[in-house]
Amino acid sequence: MAKKLFIKTYGCQMNVYDSARMADLLGAIGYAPSEEPDGADLVILNTCHIREKAAEKVYSELGRLRRAKDEKARGGGRMLVAVAGCVAQAEGDEMLRRAPLVDMVVGPQAYHRLPEMIARIERGAGRALETDFPPEDKFDALPQESAAQAGPSAFLTVQEGCDKFCTFCVVPYTRGAEFARPVAQVMAEARRLVAAGARELTLLGQNVNAYRGLDEAGETVTLAGLIRRLSDIPGLARLRYTTSHPRDMSADLIAAHRDVATLMPYLHLPVQAGSDRVLAAMNRQHTGDDYRRLIERIRDARPDIALSGDFIVGFPGETDKDFEATLALVREVNYAQAFSFKYSRRPGTPAAAVPGQVPEPEKKARLAALQDLLRAQQEAFNRATLGRALDVLIEREGRHPGQKIGRTPYLQPVHVRAPDAAIGDILRLRIEGVEPNSLKGALEGAAPVPA
Ligand code: 5AD
Ligand code: SF4
């Protein structure tokens, strides 16, 4: 009988991708996915360390798992508990010390070693820790992704790690140095995902636009080059990528937004702050005006592009005037969507040690002001699609009979009554209504748009 595997995923899309790959890997040695931890033979917490008491949340989740683990033991079984992801990387053996119920701690670059670790534990070799950045390529060691995972919109990790060292961020430490998967490996995975039903691929990387992969001829291919090659795959209707750094937004990538029809008009391009002083202290390596000029060039190439960003308020030393500069930049750029956060001290990062931490009430007030502005911009962007006909990729069933949920090219979720439509269809819909977090569409004529 198959063993039961429960994976709980925190954080970013890269973790979602990694969890799927861990499920593939463990599927090959007899573990089948389960919806809940109770009775599981293996529980994996795939953790995120980017903000707020990340480690504490993991420890309390582990506390809750104790009951399920004890229950399993009473029935004569054994539940193995693994902590994976960025908290695992950051905490390392501290995690084994603090949480006796944890059997395995495995970092994001080492999870292909899970089967070996499990085997060692089953041989009675004690608890296992793998937080090195192993020399072998994780992607070579993983089995092919299973077709079952691929919905109409699939993730594909093409790049990992970050060499930028923004002073607030743990990623360069938890995910390690920049690494790009070879072009052939990416192309092969993309073809398999499309053969399994994916119509849209989102290329993932912590710093995805820094992608520099080698092709079979040993030539370096940029993200734009990779996108151009991927756009030749028959049946692949949509391409997206995330997350990008302004410094790596090269001319060829901007041109791809003009030339490549399958590259969707949506760009997540975090700026974090508007004040040059704060940007310098963050080590972002660009100014507010650099970012403005970049946005102008991107909009020249693709006037309708939907822009998205990340913002941090209350970075150490941020004054009211600095924060005003963030608001001013947001007003000028005009975002379709955005994510904003209060600065959170991450142990081990340079910004955690500097004086001038901003008091919590100030951070809170700034976040509220920024989010009001961003929300208004998002609503305006959504309202502007009213009455337009947009192509919507149907991704799943809705809650009501005959209802389907999909996304526009601008990544807005759309609800539509379309009983005859299939998951994976791209329908031309008339946008009829705007809800706070989604749009309402109606079928335009009856016939699905051919692929
Ligand atoms: N505090 C607050 N937000 C952070 N982010 C990264 N590190 C921190 C931190 N220490 C945010 C950035 C980044 C997003 C993924 O998370 O805005 O772009
Ligand atoms: Fe972190 Fe992104 Fe800066 Fe890299 S570029 S250090 S991942 S915020």
Side-chain angles (χ1 to χ4, degrees):
M1 210 177 67
K3 293 181 184 169
K4 277 173 71 179
L5 165 68
F6 174 73
I7 305 183
K8 179 161 178 168
T9 307
Y10 302 79
C12 67
Q13 291 151 330
M14 310 239 357
N15 268 11
V16 174
Y17 177 89
D18 288 342
S19 289
R21 302 310 307 273
M22 285 191 257
D24 294 338
L25 176 72
L26 296 164
I29 57 164
Y31 285 90
S34 145
E35 295 295 312
E36 86 261 309
D38 294 316
D41 299 280
L42 173 58
V43 172
I44 301 176
L45 303 182
N46 193 11
T47 61
C48 170
H49 201 232
I50 201 102
R51 284 178 298 272
E52 313 293 340
K53 314 182 179 87
E56 294 316 310
K57 275 189 214 158
V58 174
Y59 286 114
S60 49
E61 182 69 29
L62 287 169
R64 284 193 288 278
L65 277 176
R66 181 164 303 130
R67 196 195 46 79
K69 184 162 174 147
D70 290 347
E71 184 76 13
K72 180 94 183 170
R74 270 196 294 280
R78 180 174 189 191
M79 174 190 285
L80 293 177
V81 174
V83 179
C86 292
V87 174
Q89 187 67 40
E91 290 281 293
D93 51 5
E94 172 69 16
M95 187 136 244
L96 290 178
R97 261 198 302 279
R98 261 189 75 180
L101 93 163
V102 172
D103 301 288
M104 289 170 276
V105 174
V106 60
Q109 304 309 343
Y111 65 76
H112 56 291
R113 293 185 170 176
L114 271 169
E116 236 176 275
M117 296 167 76
I118 294 170
R120 283 207 305 271
I121 290 176
E122 284 173 349
R123 282 199 307 270
R127 302 152 85 202
L129 173 75
E130 291 277 1
T131 48
D132 293 344
F133 295 97
E136 76 271 14
D137 180 351
K138 170 176 83 188
F139 293 102
D140 284 335
L142 289 169
Q144 285 188 6
E145 62 298 321
S146 73
Q149 305 278 352
S153 178
F155 293 140
L156 203 179
T157 293
V158 302
Q159 183 277 336
E160 281 201 66
C162 181
D163 295 343
K164 289 286 186 300
F165 290 91
C166 298
T167 55
F168 52 80
C169 185
V170 289
V171 166
Y173 312 97
T174 58
R175 289 268 172 177
E178 275 179 16
F179 162 85
R181 292 179 71 184
V183 173
Q185 212 184 63
V186 172
M187 294 299 293
E189 185 165 333
R191 288 201 187 90
R192 288 193 300 267
L193 288 166
V194 172
R199 306 293 312 278
E200 170 176 280
L201 294 180
T202 302
L203 311 180
L204 298 181
Q206 263 92 30
N207 218 333
V208 71
N209 61 344
Y211 177 88
R212 294 273 181 291
L214 291 180
D215 70 7
E216 280 105 329
E219 301 287 329
T220 303
V221 174
T222 61
L223 183 67
L226 184 68
I227 285 170
R228 286 175 193 273
R229 292 183 192 209
L230 287 164
S231 70
D232 291 336
I233 296 178
L236 180 55
R238 291 180 164 194
L239 280 164
R240 303 180 184 277
Y241 60 93
T242 198
T243 285
S244 298
H245 191 286
R247 279 285 296 263
D248 296 311
M249 210 58 220
S250 56
D252 67 339
L253 187 54
I254 295 175
H257 277 283
R258 183 187 59 222
D259 305 334
V260 180
T262 48
L263 184 57
M264 290 293 101
Y266 180 96
L267 177 62
H268 183 66
L269 194 64
V271 67
Q272 313 294 358
S275 143
D276 289 346
R277 215 177 53 79
V278 172
L279 286 168
M282 286 177 162
N283 188 32
R284 289 291 293 176
Q285 305 170 40
H286 63 78
T287 63
D289 279 347
D290 294 337
Y291 185 83
R292 286 178 180 87
R293 276 192 292 272
L294 186 56
I295 296 296
E296 209 171 295
R297 288 168 56 213
I298 295 164
R299 284 200 163 125
D300 279 347
R302 184 75 208 227
D304 67 332
I305 200 156
L307 289 169
S308 160
D310 290 339
F311 297 89
I312 295 177
V313 301
F315 184 79
E318 186 188 69
T319 61
D320 282 339
K321 190 155 164 271
D322 291 322
F323 176 62
E324 284 300 323
T326 299
L327 293 178
L329 184 134
V330 169
R331 281 191 203 99
E332 282 170 60
V333 171
N334 208 353
Y335 288 90
Q337 209 200 345
F339 305 90
S340 46
F341 315 100
K342 288 185 285 192
Y343 169 71
S344 133
R345 288 177 69 185
R346 308 282 73 208
T349 60
V354 306
Q357 300 288 330
V358 175
E360 184 61 26
E362 247 153 88
K363 284 192 205 169
K364 216 172 145 191
R366 287 179 194 167
L367 186 67
L370 177 60
Q371 291 189 337
D372 280 349
L373 175 60
L374 290 167
R375 199 174 308 114
Q377 293 191 341
Q378 178 170 349
E379 277 169 27
F381 183 87
N382 287 342
R383 262 198 318 278
T385 57
L386 256 182
R388 283 184 65 186
L390 295 178
D391 289 345
V392 173
L393 170 60
I394 301 299
E395 293 180 10
R396 57 198 169 92
E397 302 287 339
R399 257 185 299 144
H400 307 294
Q403 191 190 48
K404 303 282 194 298
I405 302 176
R407 285 186 189 267
T408 68
Y410 311 109
L411 210 61
Q412 300 147 295
V414 184
H415 291 77
V416 59
R417 218 191 103 70
D420 301 332
I423 305 300
D425 281 351
I426 294 177
L427 306 179
R428 167 84 31 115
L429 301 183
R430 182 70 59 188
I431 305 304
E432 287 195 321
V434 179
E435 313 275 331
N437 296 309
S438 64
L439 305 177
K440 259 174 63 185
L443 286 171
E444 177 82 333
V449 176

